Amino acid sequence: MPFETLPKPAPGKLADAVSKLAGDMLQEVSGDSDRITIEECLNILTTHPSASAAGTARVLMGLSLWGEYQHPNETLQSFVRSNFSSMKGSLSLSVAEILSVAPIGWAASEISYYLEKQAPAGLRLESITILDPRLYSFRGKRSQIEDILYRSPSGKEVSIPYENKVLHVVNKRHLAFGSPTGVSDCGVAKSAYQAWKIIVNEALLAGQRQATPIIVGKAPPDARVQLLDSSKRPETDASGNPITVPATDKLATELEGINKNGGIISVDTNHELHTLNQQTNGQFFMELLHYFERLIMLSFMVPETLFEVGKGGLGNAGIAESHLGVMTMQLKSSIEQIKDQLIEKVVRPLVEWNFGEQETYGYFTEADAQEENKLALFTAITDAIAKGTFSAADLEVINRHRELAGIPAVQEITRGIVTKNNRYFEVEV
């Protein structure tokens, strides 16, 4: 079909960015009724060892992916970097706080500025402070978020403008379909967490039965025994008559208190005691617990091989590296959200206020290669120079070599490296 005959696109759109905000009245965004609560999320993150480790691993890995702010104008670059370094707390701490809360489904931080009156005067970044997700809700109208209604512990309500004052990150945005509360990793892990708690209780009970077997006692059904006080003297009623109870009831009371009594009870020759030894399959409980812990780790997109490399045999290191790559790709989505919002909601206002509008507002680089990768590249370049693949007189090669070794670059080469019998010698070039 010729291009000229194709139907022209109609202007506008039908879908709302936030479908729940369809009216003109300012309204709060309510969560789904069957959604996991924030308290439940925090309980999982703070009480389950594997969930806690997974959350910490995500934060540390996310910080390892962070880079530095860059701008082609060195004056602007230096200004923005100085704001991040002088803010209350630190940029790394603010990013870590956002990544820590993201498993709930979303994270929001308040951006604060102040006006510096002393030279150099201008707008400065004061802080980027995480907001407790239990204390606020989103509000908006006509498919747009307008503010955050923050309720302080004292009961005071404060409106925080969304567009310029809130850094907002959504977990698994590709599945959130515009919801500002995202998709909770803790919600995915909830069923496995509840099953894990049940199995832990059963395993503890089985362990107790394994260590202290069930004691079975027999007493004459029609016999009665006297009650004794704490001094082992017979108890009496108001008339001075000894108080007696059925022997079976007295034996049951003695057995209930056997742990308090140091495992000792005394009965007469008309009673019988014997134990029921149970041989529990402990491996069954351990395998089941490990299975549910794996599900919890997967809910956070953290592979179990991150913590357990070496347990299963050869080849686990390669598997762990592959799994780590998947986790890294997922984390980059959150990291890119944070970087984009920092540029748009922090860097841009600072630059425009102090320097006016710019063609570009810079960007955040990706983190440098890990030290082991630097070492591998350093070794490879060294070998390449030794074998003659790279020239020792090539300034760019030598400066890259020095950069990997942490040595300042040079402007010119006065000495080169040659090899003989696998030994290195410096010579004039």
Side-chain angles (χ1 to χ4, degrees):
M1 181 182 295
F3 178 77
E4 292 77 6
T5 61
L6 291 175
K8 294 183 179 181
K13 65 175 184 178
L14 297 177
D16 292 333
V18 184
S19 59
K20 296 179 180 179
L21 302 176
D24 293 322
M25 299 294 294
L26 194 65
Q27 55 185 301
E28 291 189 37
V29 179
S30 58
D32 298 330
S33 58
D34 58 346
R35 182 188 177 97
I36 185 173
T37 65
I38 297 175
E39 292 292 350
E40 287 176 317
C41 291
L42 295 176
N43 186 49
I44 293 175
L45 290 170
T46 57
T47 62
H48 190 278
S50 295
S52 178
T56 302
R58 284 171 57 96
V59 172
L60 296 177
M61 181 59 67
L63 291 177
S64 73
L65 298 173
W66 197 263
E68 277 195 303
Y69 173 77
Q70 299 281 351
H71 194 282
N73 185 318
E74 291 189 3
T75 301
L76 295 183
Q77 176 178 287
S78 177
F79 169 76
V80 172
R81 286 184 178 181
S82 68
N83 274 269
F84 287 136
S85 62
S86 63
M87 63 182 280
K88 292 181 181 178
S90 67
L91 182 59
S92 295
L93 176 60
S94 298
V95 173
E97 289 174 337
I98 294 172
L99 292 174
S100 296
V101 180
I104 292 175
W106 80 97
S109 294
E110 181 183 10
I111 306 167
S112 298
Y113 305 95
Y114 70 96
L115 287 173
E116 179 61 68
K117 297 180 180 179
Q118 299 179 356
L123 186 70
R124 302 283 295 185
L125 175 65
E126 181 178 13
S127 63
I128 303 174
T129 308
I130 195 72
L131 297 173
D132 188 334
R134 295 168 294 185
L135 300 179
Y136 67 85
S137 58
F138 295 96
R139 295 196 305 179
K141 57 186 178 182
R142 282 205 172 275
S143 77
Q144 296 297 326
I145 300 294
E146 294 199 357
D147 69 355
I148 277 182
L149 183 62
Y150 180 82
R151 300 175 176 87
S152 67
S154 63
K156 182 180 179 181
E157 293 186 348
V158 180
S159 172
I160 304 175
Y162 179 82
E163 188 64 28
N164 301 317
K165 292 274 290 178
V166 176
L167 195 157
H168 177 210
V169 175
V170 175
N171 190 49
K172 295 184 178 177
R173 185 166 54 179
H174 58 288
L175 295 176
F177 302 114
S179 170
T181 53
V183 177
S184 168
D185 289 338
C186 293
V188 179
K190 181 179 179 179
S191 297
Y193 172 70
Q194 291 174 334
W196 176 85
K197 288 198 300 183
I198 293 173
I199 299 302
V200 165
N201 290 332
E202 294 296 332
L204 290 174
L205 181 60
Q208 183 181 6
R209 289 289 178 261
Q210 194 80 11
T212 56
I214 298 175
I215 300 177
V216 178
K218 295 182 180 180
D222 299 327
R224 299 184 67 85
V225 295
Q226 289 185 348
L227 286 181
L228 303 179
D229 59 18
S230 58
S231 301
K232 303 301 180 182
R233 292 177 297 185
E235 294 187 11
T236 58
D237 57 18
S239 302
N241 299 318
I243 300 176
T244 62
V245 295
T248 52
D249 292 350
K250 181 65 166 60
L251 181 59
T253 302
E254 292 283 347
L255 291 175
E256 288 176 357
I258 192 169
N259 289 331
K260 298 179 182 178
N261 299 329
I264 300 173
I265 63 172
S266 60
V267 294
D268 57 34
T269 55
N270 293 325
H271 292 67
E272 294 182 16
L273 295 176
H274 61 90
T275 61
L276 295 178
N277 293 315
Q278 292 186 333
Q279 297 298 322
T280 304
N281 183 3
Q283 188 63 29
F284 166 77
F285 286 104
M286 296 305 297
E287 290 179 355
L288 202 54
L289 286 173
H290 183 64
Y291 170 71
F292 287 124
E293 287 189 347
R294 283 182 58 197
L295 292 182
I296 292 172
M297 298 280 281
L298 287 175
S299 300
F300 290 91
M301 288 297 292
V302 175
E304 61 173 341
T305 47
L306 187 63
F307 301 107
E308 299 186 4
V309 170
K311 290 182 63 177
L314 298 175
N316 275 7
I319 295 174
E321 185 176 353
S322 175
H323 291 178
L324 192 61
V326 177
M327 174 184 170
T328 301
M329 287 189 291
Q330 194 272 339
L331 269 174
K332 281 185 176 180
S333 173
S334 297
I335 292 296
E336 289 304 316
Q337 283 190 65
I338 300 174
K339 289 180 178 180
D340 290 345
Q341 295 220 15
L342 281 172
I343 295 296
E344 201 55 36
K345 294 189 175 183
V346 176
V347 174
R348 184 167 185 160
L350 286 172
V351 171
E352 288 186 349
W353 179 284
N354 294 282
F355 299 95
E357 292 187 10
Q358 304 291 319
E359 291 184 3
T360 177
Y361 294 91
Y363 60 94
F364 286 91
T365 62
E366 290 192 7
D368 292 335
Q370 296 180 357
E371 291 301 321
E372 55 267 26
N373 294 335
K374 289 184 178 180
L375 179 60
L377 184 55
F378 178 84
T379 303
I381 293 178
T382 302
D383 292 341
I385 294 174
K387 294 175 181 178
T389 306
F390 294 150
S391 171
D394 189 323
L395 182 62
E396 291 185 1
V397 171
I398 294 303
N399 277 337
R400 179 58 172 152
H401 202 232
R402 295 170 68 91
E403 178 189 352
L404 292 169
I407 303 173
V410 294
Q411 299 299 320
E412 60 179 346
I413 298 176
T414 59
R415 301 181 69 82
I417 299 175
V418 298
T419 62
K420 183 177 181 181
N421 298 327
N422 294 325
R423 298 181 63 186
Y424 294 86
F425 301 90
E426 287 190 354
V427 298
E428 297 291 339
V429 297

